[in-house]
Amino acid sequence: MTADNKSIVGQNLNLIYRRAGAEPVAALQDVSFTIEDGQFISLIGPSGCGKTTLLKIFGDLLVPTSGQLTINGEPPSVLRRRQAIGQMFQDATLLPWKTIGQNIALLGEIASRKPPPHEVAALANMVGIGRFIDNYPHELSGGMRQRAALARAYALKPRILLMDEPFGALDEITREHMNDELVRIWTKSRLTVIFVTHSIAEAAYLSDRVLVMAPRPGRVVAEISIDMPREQRPAERFGPELTRCAEEIHHHLVTNMQLGNENEPA
Ligand SMILES: Nc1ncnc2c1ncn2[C@@H]1O[C@H](COP(=O)(O)OP(=O)(O)OP(=O)(O)O)[C@@H](O)[C@H]1O
Ligand SMILES: [Mg+2]
């Protein structure tokens, strides 16, 4: 794997938060990885281990204190300028005064690339909320709002999709359903997904590779490949292979566990 073309390469990423009058926080220390273009990667680790921080570096919302991240040979700022980075958060963050269709079109509109109505309709259909395009966010369930947020992220046709615990607030069965929907959509587009989760089962089920992180300072302590073909996974959700992967993730999490004490500096 080379750093220039079809890969995302993080090299010795360090991120120190500094604020006047406060101890510096070493949020990430020497984080290195290579991610192939089109892979589904999960970041898992206890609260405070730097998952959101790392995601922000991917999204060009933070610049590492040292080290380098390149996406297909370019720094994240270049992709950000090209609107090639999609984002989705734990809350759907839809604008309540705009309809679902208007929300889906919003980022394109801001980027002067407003999608035509048939594209908005296709995006809404893709995520299974085609009938609700003229409804307002408060008229939808939490899962449906997350579908709208996914459609909005896809509207800019990103090359990389950053997802920060997008299904964390959903009940277990709705979350499973959304996992399958996400895989169905992702399988067609094959963009690179960086998916933050606290759920071991979700990480094992969704990912090509899971990066396990540990806190204080935040670092990657293990990488686990999940090789089971996608089409087998729904029937094997509780089968021996995914259970073994989940156990491995669990082992690394527990071995490196240090309950974060936010009262003390890192
Ligand atoms: N803007 C900031 N200024 C100072 N410290 C910060 C800032 N943002 C995050 N931190 C600290 O950096 C560390 C990593 O935070 P981060 O939000 O990346 O963790 P996380 O893994 O996403 O946690 P969670 O699972 O709770 O979302 C934490 O100790 C946090 O308190
Ligand atoms: Mg976070």
Side-chain angles (χ1 to χ4, degrees):
M1 185 62 52
T2 56
D4 49 358
N5 44 25
K6 293 285 179 191
S7 57
I8 302 176
V9 181
Q11 285 170 314
N12 303 102
L13 295 172
N14 287 279
L15 192 295
I16 300 173
Y17 287 109
R18 292 184 204 280
R19 199 156 44 85
E23 287 286 336
V25 177
L28 293 176
Q29 181 175 288
D30 270 336
V31 172
S32 297
F33 49 80
T34 300
I35 296 169
E36 285 169 47
D37 192 41
Q39 276 197 330
F40 197 118
I41 302 294
S42 286
L43 304 178
I44 191 166
S47 188
C49 72
K51 303 179 294 297
T52 296
T53 300
L54 186 52
L55 216 58
K56 283 180 176 169
I57 293 175
F58 276 102
D60 192 39
L61 301 171
L62 275 177
V63 176
T65 311
S66 63
Q68 203 187 23
L69 178 72
T70 53
I71 303 176
N72 301 341
E74 297 176 312
S77 55
V78 173
L79 274 93
R80 167 67 64 190
R81 277 201 293 281
R82 271 197 234 123
Q83 308 285 341
I85 302 174
Q87 270 173 290
M88 203 176 150
F89 307 98
Q90 187 166 10
D91 292 328
T93 59
L94 303 173
L95 297 182
W97 61 88
K98 288 190 181 278
T99 65
I100 294 302
Q102 289 166 340
N103 268 289
I104 291 173
L106 187 71
L107 297 179
E109 204 175 330
I110 292 169
S112 305
R113 278 164 42 193
K114 187 177 178 179
H118 73 270
E119 259 184 44
V120 174
L123 285 160
N125 282 332
M126 174 185 83
V127 299
I129 53 169
R131 283 195 307 121
F132 297 92
I133 208 158
D134 294 321
N135 286 77
Y136 288 87
H138 75 270
E139 298 171 303
L140 274 62
S141 70
M144 287 156 75
R145 284 199 289 270
Q146 285 302 60
R147 287 168 188 266
L150 182 59
R152 181 182 57 185
Y154 259 85
L156 290 172
K157 304 184 178 72
R159 280 309 309 145
I160 174 169
L161 182 58
L162 309 176
M163 307 180 84
D164 200 349
E165 298 185 56
F167 308 135
L170 304 179
D171 68 86
E172 188 78 15
I173 300 302
T174 307
R175 176 197 279 229
E176 283 180 8
H177 186 57
M178 288 301 293
N179 285 171
D180 287 331
E181 287 286 277
L182 176 60
V183 169
R184 177 180 64 76
I185 293 162
W186 169 77
T187 305
K188 284 187 195 149
S189 59
R190 285 290 168 158
L191 44 69
T192 308
V193 176
I194 315 291
F195 186 95
V196 170
T197 179
H198 280 136
S199 163
I200 295 173
E202 186 173 58
Y205 185 72
L206 284 176
S207 311
D208 293 315
R209 207 139 57 91
V210 180
L211 305 188
V212 181
M213 296 181 69
R216 312 182 70 75
R219 62 210 188 278
V220 174
V221 290
E223 294 188 24
I224 292 144
S225 291
I226 319 278
D227 297 324
M228 180 184 276
R230 297 277 157 190
E231 58 279 10
Q232 284 179 20
R233 296 192 189 190
E236 292 287 328
R237 193 183 281 277
F238 301 105
E241 194 171 334
L242 286 181
T243 301
R244 186 192 56 71
C245 293
E247 278 170 0
E248 197 178 338
I249 297 167
H250 183 264
H251 167 76
H252 288 292
L253 284 171
V254 171
T255 308
N256 294 285
M257 189 70 187
Q258 274 175 292
L259 278 174
N261 178 355
E262 300 295 339
N263 294 324
E264 288 174 11

